């Protein structure tokens, strides 16, 4: 027969494990196949002409949960845009872009979506997902067709 001391210890251990499990936040990425780092390999205008021809620079889309980071490399490592996005059917819809500023009074500076044109995102912030699999993504919008590879 168990003593009261053992019962108290079991109750305390059960309560501690319950508190630990409920206090943990779920930080797993739930963006599925869309999530990860994508390198732009080709950007063509609607007429088929090449829109981005900088062989010494590359554009990256980094997607995690509901955040999208846009960056051109090589370049200044502090020069990038962050934005929230959501999916509407087969469309990727970009919300308010911002940059993060270190060592400043403001931690973030908001921008308009027009600031993202150099990354292939048009003023309406909508990109249609034509192809999406584990190693390839093709997006189309007013700025043309963007082809990515998973990096």
């Amino acid at each position: 027969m168990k003593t009261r001391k053992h019962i108290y210890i079991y109750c305390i251990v059960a309560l501690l494990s319950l508190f630990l499990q409920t206090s943990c936040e779920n930080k797993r990425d739930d963006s599925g196949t869309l999530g990860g780092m994508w390198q732009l390999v080709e950007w063509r205008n609607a007429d088929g002409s090449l829109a981005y021809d900088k062989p010494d620079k590359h554009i990256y889309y980094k997607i995690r949960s509901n955040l999208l980071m846009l960056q051109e490399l090589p370049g200044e490592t502090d020069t990038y845009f962050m934005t929230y996005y959501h999916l509407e059917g087969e469309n990727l819809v970009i919300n308010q872009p911002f940059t993060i500023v270190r060592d400043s009074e403001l931690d973030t500076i908001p921008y308009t979506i027009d600031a993202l044109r150099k990354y292939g995102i048009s003023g309406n912030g909508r990109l249609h997902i034509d192809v999406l699999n584990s190693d390839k993504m093709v997006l189309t919008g007013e700025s043309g067709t963007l082809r990515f590879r998973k990096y």
Side-chain angles (χ1 to χ4, degrees), residues 37-99:
M37 187 165 160
W38 296 92
Q39 179 186 18
L40 181 71
V41 291
E42 183 181 70
W43 175 2
R44 296 217 172 252
N45 291 316
D47 64 3
S49 63
L50 201 58
Y52 187 82
D53 189 21
K54 297 180 182 177
D56 57 331
K57 293 193 180 239
H58 298 282
I59 290 177
Y60 293 94
Y61 283 27
K62 300 170 188 172
I63 300 171
R64 180 171 169 88
S65 295
N66 63 340
L67 278 174
L68 169 63
M69 179 180 174
L70 304 159
Q71 191 170 24
E72 186 177 49
L73 293 173
E76 297 176 31
T77 55
D78 290 346
T79 306
Y80 60 87
F81 284 95
M82 298 287 289
T83 184
Y84 291 101
Y85 77 91
H86 66 276
L87 295 173
E88 284 182 5
E90 293 183 352
N91 292 304
L92 180 72
V93 181
I94 308 298
N95 298 317
Q96 178 67 50
F98 60 94
T99 58

Side-chain angles (χ1 to χ4, degrees), residues 99-151:
T99 58
I100 297 174
V101 181
R102 295 184 182 108
D103 303 326
S104 175
E105 255 180 53
L106 300 170
D107 352 354
T108 62
I109 298 174
Y111 285 86
T112 63
I113 292 182
D114 285 332
L116 304 180
R117 286 194 186 275
K118 76 178 206 172
Y119 300 102
I121 299 171
S122 57
N124 67 6
R126 298 178 76 82
L127 294 167
H128 183 268
I129 302 171
D130 296 335
V131 176
L132 177 62
N133 57 43
S134 61
D135 61 343
K136 181 180 178 183
M137 177 170 67
V138 179
L139 305 174
T140 55
E142 291 177 1
S143 298
T145 302
L146 307 165
R147 297 184 191 285
F148 295 86
R149 73 176 179 108
K150 192 83 160 233
Y151 192 74

Side-chain angles (χ1 to χ4, degrees), residues 17-28:
S17 66
L18 179 67
F19 286 129
L20 289 174
Q21 289 177 1
T22 58
S23 67
C24 294
E25 185 179 338
N26 181 4
K27 296 186 180 186
R28 285 180 274 167

